[in-house]
Amino acid sequence: MSLVLHVFVIAQPQNFQLWDESIFLELTRNFIKMEDHTPYQLPGSYLFAGTAITIFGDNWFSWRAPSVIFGMLTLLVFYKISC
């Protein structure tokens, strides 16, 4: 159920970036080109977002898919902890 709700939410809006996506996407695109403009930050989020952009292309789905995947994994981890 949570995955279905995530898919509905991430599909809006499709044609432009939301709030801080423009900042993080520009840094991710630089990371893909092997240009690190933020050496003070760990590259983990850029690594996952860059992988998604490389696999699926530079579109709204690949921008938001890592967030959905980590959201679903977080639900699973909290469920296992509570059990």
Side-chain angles (χ1 to χ4, degrees):
M1 183 65 168
S2 180
L3 179 63
V4 171
L5 292 174
H6 271 99
V7 171
F8 282 128
V9 169
I10 69 165
Q12 302 300 328
Q14 293 182 6
N15 297 330
F16 61 93
Q17 301 160 1
L18 294 174
W19 303 295
D20 60 350
E21 276 183 346
S22 59
I23 297 167
F24 289 111
L25 285 174
E26 192 60 38
L27 293 174
T28 301
R29 290 177 184 123
N30 290 335
F31 183 77
I32 291 172
K33 292 187 259 182
M34 300 296 184
E35 299 173 5
D36 189 14
H37 296 287
T38 56
Y40 51 87
Q41 292 181 343
L42 294 175
S45 63
Y46 303 127
L47 180 66
F48 292 116
T51 304
I53 288 173
T54 303
I55 292 171
F56 300 114
D58 196 359
N59 57 33
W60 64 270
F61 179 77
S62 62
W63 302 339
R64 300 172 187 148
S67 298
V68 172
I69 291 169
F70 280 108
M72 297 303 297
L73 289 175
T74 302
L75 287 175
L76 181 65
V77 167
F78 280 120
Y79 173 75
K80 293 293 185 181
I81 289 172
S82 65
C83 286

